[in-house]
Amino acid sequence: MTAETKYLLPESAIPRQWVNLLADLPPGPPPLHPATKQPVGPDDLAPIFPMGLIEQEVATEPEIAIPEEILDVYRLWRPTPLYRARRLERDLDTPAHIYSKYEGVSPAGSHKPNTAVAQAYYNKQAGVAKLITETGAGQWGSALALACRLFGMDCEVFMVGVSYDQKPYRRALIETWGGTVHRSPSELTEAGRSQAAHPSGSLGIAISEAVEVAAGSDDANYSLGSVLNHVCLHQTVIGQEVIDQQEMAGEYPDVVVGCVGGGSNFAGLSYPLVRRRVRDGLETRFVAAEPAACPTLTRGAYRYDFGDTVGLTPLMPMYTLGHDFVPPPVHAGGLRYHGDAPSLCGLVKEGIVEPRAIQQTAAFEAAVRFARVEGIIPGPEPAHALRAAFDEAEEAKEAGEERVILIGLSGHGHFDMSAYEAYHAGKLTDLEFSEADMESALERLPDAPVPG
């Protein structure tokens, strides 16, 4: 009998609720108003978010029903496939069983539409005509442009400068779906003009620009592609499908590996499985792979900090390199963020999630090796998860154990060919992380209590 390679679920198996992991965890430190240092309330968020998303941001119920209008769009690509990477197992000569949950089959080529569609829906229900956002590598911007088009809304995107230059086809994708794209930092905003000394840009700078424009618009709201609770919530369709697919395979993960920038991909894959660890005592390990050039979870300080560079957002409890730290221009633009989702940071602080820093060249070496045996060309972001998974497979080999390794393959790399071209030409380097810049940025953290 031929061994299964892919595990496919029917459309009827699309999850009909999102998993709210916060219901299973002790209450964490609340976000604080940047001026008063008091916990943020719904009225503080109402100028840029619809009430439907604000309610999800602070929800306490364990599951939240997915509206039928959102499920109808999800059916365009969900459920996504789970692959057994048998060729990779042979190539690595490991007894480990390796699986990848592939989100690159969505129209935008990544996991990002899972929340983009939900955010566009709730804003449309609230009568909002336009969404304004930032994007790192362009995956989030293209996903939101698609979602806005499907719900008859306008979309404006501030794209991090280095990615705007490196990834022109992601810009074209945004424009094809009707979005408008600006290179960030731009001359269009006070925030952008204040950061002209950092032409490579950063997610923090682009967030500042998008929030500034949204806050000054009567008919527009702001939309964030990662970090916030409601964003992580929407992504949990990934992990719920994985649980069903691993049951089809007759196995369950010993270790879950995903890349981390702001945390949405990792949360979506892992939070339903973290719930099983918390509730049922399962011993699954969770490994969060981040760039060594932007090592938020492995090197950052656990403090209250702004989610953006200029300081327009609430203060969030998280591991941070400092809100005005500008990471080196690695090709994994979606991972160039100074902080991480507070919920994820809490899991790292409690030892449930293990962070691991990966060098850029090691990530691309793993991506090319994966592509040559499995066929899929990964995005630079999940390439970091692949490198960490290879290390896990080697450990399984040394231990002589058939460990089950689950990888979050968050998107394809079809619009990242300039990075692969640089790798093949020997021009891709490991960019240095500046300890001095981080220490300087940490000295400028806002005056706020250290979260417990």
Side-chain angles (χ1 to χ4, degrees), residues 324-385:
D324 59 359
F325 176 84
V326 178
V330 294
H331 279 275
L335 307 185
R336 291 181 67 243
Y337 185 57
H338 66 273
D340 271 302
S343 58
L344 173 58
C345 291
L347 294 174
V348 170
K349 191 169 183 288
E350 295 300 318
I352 294 176
V353 172
E354 308 165 25
R356 193 171 300 174
I358 305 296
Q359 290 285 1
Q360 177 167 244
T361 55
F364 273 88
E365 185 275 333
V368 170
R369 188 171 185 178
F370 182 86
R372 288 177 176 176
V373 293
E374 291 295 326
I376 295 172
I377 299 176
E381 292 81 11
H384 291 70

Side-chain angles (χ1 to χ4, degrees), residues 32-169:
L32 303 179
H33 192 285
T36 66
K37 305 300 191 295
Q38 295 300 307
V40 169
D43 290 344
D44 298 313
L45 300 176
I48 57 173
F49 293 119
M51 190 53 63
L53 296 180
I54 294 173
E55 290 172 351
Q56 292 178 4
E57 189 67 19
V58 297
T60 57
E61 55 265 50
E63 287 92 25
I64 295 174
I66 303 176
E68 187 60 40
E69 294 89 340
I70 295 174
L71 289 170
D72 187 52
V73 179
Y74 279 177
R75 291 185 184 97
L76 292 174
W77 73 93
R78 302 218 70 85
T80 59
L82 178 74
Y83 291 104
R84 172 76 182 273
R86 298 181 187 275
R87 290 173 175 79
L88 178 64
E89 294 167 9
R90 293 194 293 269
D91 189 64
L92 296 175
D93 188 26
T94 178
H97 294 182
I98 303 174
Y99 294 85
S100 66
K101 178 63 166 170
Y102 184 46
E103 292 293 297
V105 297
S106 79
S110 78
H111 68 293
K112 292 295 188 179
N114 297 328
T115 185
V117 168
Q119 292 188 49
Y121 167 78
Y122 285 108
N123 276 282
K124 181 69 172 182
Q125 291 293 104
V128 175
K130 181 178 183 179
L131 289 179
I132 302 170
T133 194
E134 75 294 322
T135 193
Q139 290 180 334
W140 167 241
S142 58
L144 191 65
L146 166 66
C148 285
R149 175 56 48 186
L150 293 176
F151 284 102
M153 304 170 69
D154 293 330
C155 182
E156 185 173 357
V157 181
F158 287 86
M159 187 171 183
V160 172
V162 65
S163 292
Y164 185 96
D165 300 335
Q166 290 173 344
K167 306 176 194 299
Y169 296 123

Side-chain angles (χ1 to χ4, degrees), residues 112 203 226-228 232 260-265 334-335 337 339-342 344:
K112 292 295 188 179
L203 272 170
S226 191
V227 179
L228 296 178
C232 295
V260 173
S264 68
N265 155 71
L335 307 185
Y337 185 57
D340 271 302
L344 173 58

Side-chain angles (χ1 to χ4, degrees), residues 210-275:
V211 170
E212 179 183 327
V213 174
S217 302
D218 294 330
D219 62 346
N221 268 353
Y222 171 66
S223 184
L224 184 64
S226 191
V227 179
L228 296 178
N229 292 336
H230 67 266
V231 181
C232 295
L233 176 83
H234 299 154
Q235 294 292 353
T236 59
V237 291
I238 303 172
Q240 292 180 80
E241 291 177 3
V242 158
I243 290 173
D244 290 342
Q245 289 165 316
Q246 289 276 214
E247 186 174 332
M248 292 171 64
E251 299 197 290
Y252 192 81
D254 294 303
V255 58
V256 176
V257 186
C259 62
V260 173
S264 68
N265 155 71
F266 187 85
L269 176 72
S270 67
Y271 281 12
L273 291 95
V274 171
R275 168 170 283 179

